[in-house]
Amino acid sequence: MIIFKKTILALTGLFICIFLVAHLGANFLLLLPHETARTCYNAYSAALRSNPFITIIAYINYLCIIFHVIYAILVTVKNNKSRNEHYEMNRSSENSSWTSQNMLLLGFLILGFIIIHMANFWYKVKILHQEDDLYQMVFDLFHEPLYLIIYVAAAIPIGLHLSHGVQSAFKTLGLYHHKYIRWIAKFSVMFAWITGLGFAIIPIVVYFR
Ligand code: HEM
């Protein structure tokens, strides 16, 4: 049963990673010069909203986030129980990193960020239909120092969570042959750095515009 739970955790996590890559790529449009960024970002978001395929992917993504949180809690509770039962055999605190032991905490920090983020954009666009100038909405938000700090700081738990989560997901899915261990670990850390730095740089560049 734990294998099933970990597989759901891995698959939903990897789907969210694919969303993150697409989301980061799209948000890099914000780095273009001011007026070009406005035109491109607004055109991109209008194109997304009018595409039914993207709407389906968005709903799959919401479900993945919900299941990822639920199964992360279930797997952590189960791991903690068996760690207490077999403490002497396991001793995981001696040979695993701080990140790997605090994935749930990091996940909750990210969830907190996502809730704030949804209130900032998703709620205004999807519920209040304030969708005329999304670029201006992002621009105004990142000129508020509190949100600038929140968005830049969020990159830390995101980077840490990804650096362990991606390699752990591959391991769960059985793609962790000893020949590839080093490469998968390197790929995970590189992916985490690119994603974390990417999401941190955008608000800073927009703030200083
Ligand atoms: C520079 C940082 C970011 C910017 C400017 C940004 C911008 C946006 C905008 C404008 C939307 C609403 C799009 C729409 O409904 O048309 C959105 C949605 C969303 N963002 Fe972000 N985002 C950023 C970082 C992140 C991060 C780090 C995460 C995850 C950890 C994230 C997760 C989401 C999710 C899950 C949605 C909902 C997607 C959907 O409804 O399809 N975003 N973002």
Side-chain angles (χ1 to χ4, degrees), residues 105-136:
L105 169 70
L106 293 166
F108 275 121
L109 289 175
I110 298 169
L111 184 63
F113 165 76
I114 291 178
I115 292 168
I116 295 172
H117 183 49
M118 294 293 105
N120 291 152
F121 297 120
W122 183 89
Y123 177 72
K124 290 182 182 160
V125 174
K126 296 265 163 64
I127 309 294
L128 303 181
H129 297 287
Q130 297 173 359
E131 52 203 21
D132 298 344
D133 194 345
L134 196 58
Y135 173 78
Q136 192 61 43

Side-chain angles (χ1 to χ4, degrees), residues 64 69 92 108 123 202:
C64 281
V69 173
S92 60
F108 275 121
Y123 177 72
I202 295 168

Side-chain angles (χ1 to χ4, degrees), residues 35-174:
E35 284 310 322
T36 317
R38 186 192 303 278
T39 312
C40 294
Y41 198 71
N42 287 345
Y44 136 78
S45 74
L48 278 196
R49 276 195 301 278
S50 60
N51 186 334
F53 175 70
I54 297 293
T55 309
I56 295 170
I57 299 288
Y59 280 106
I60 296 175
N61 191 37
Y62 304 150
L63 283 177
C64 281
I65 294 174
I66 294 168
F67 277 100
H68 194 75
V69 173
I70 294 171
Y71 279 84
I73 296 170
L74 294 177
V75 167
T76 308
V77 168
K78 176 83 184 119
N79 281 349
N80 286 348
K81 258 194 197 159
S82 49
R83 189 171 302 151
N84 289 340
E85 281 162 17
H86 310 287
Y87 182 69
E88 284 306 315
M89 279 164 60
N90 229 333
R91 287 181 178 261
S92 60
S93 58
E94 286 177 14
N95 49 29
S96 57
S97 67
W98 182 90
T99 303
S100 68
Q101 287 179 55
N102 289 282
M103 287 296 279
L104 193 65
L105 169 70
L106 293 166
F108 275 121
L109 289 175
I110 298 169
L111 184 63
F113 165 76
I114 291 178
I115 292 168
I116 295 172
H117 183 49
M118 294 293 105
N120 291 152
F121 297 120
W122 183 89
Y123 177 72
K124 290 182 182 160
V125 174
K126 296 265 163 64
I127 309 294
L128 303 181
H129 297 287
Q130 297 173 359
E131 52 203 21
D132 298 344
D133 194 345
L134 196 58
Y135 173 78
Q136 192 61 43
M137 204 186 274
V138 175
F139 185 87
D140 292 343
L141 188 82
F142 291 163
H143 279 81
E144 289 187 40
L146 174 67
Y147 284 107
L148 173 70
I149 293 168
I150 290 175
Y151 275 74
V152 174
I156 299 169
I158 291 170
L160 289 173
H161 195 82
L162 289 176
S163 70
H164 176 74
V166 172
Q167 47 186 305
S168 182
F170 282 123
K171 188 177 172 183
T172 300
L173 297 176

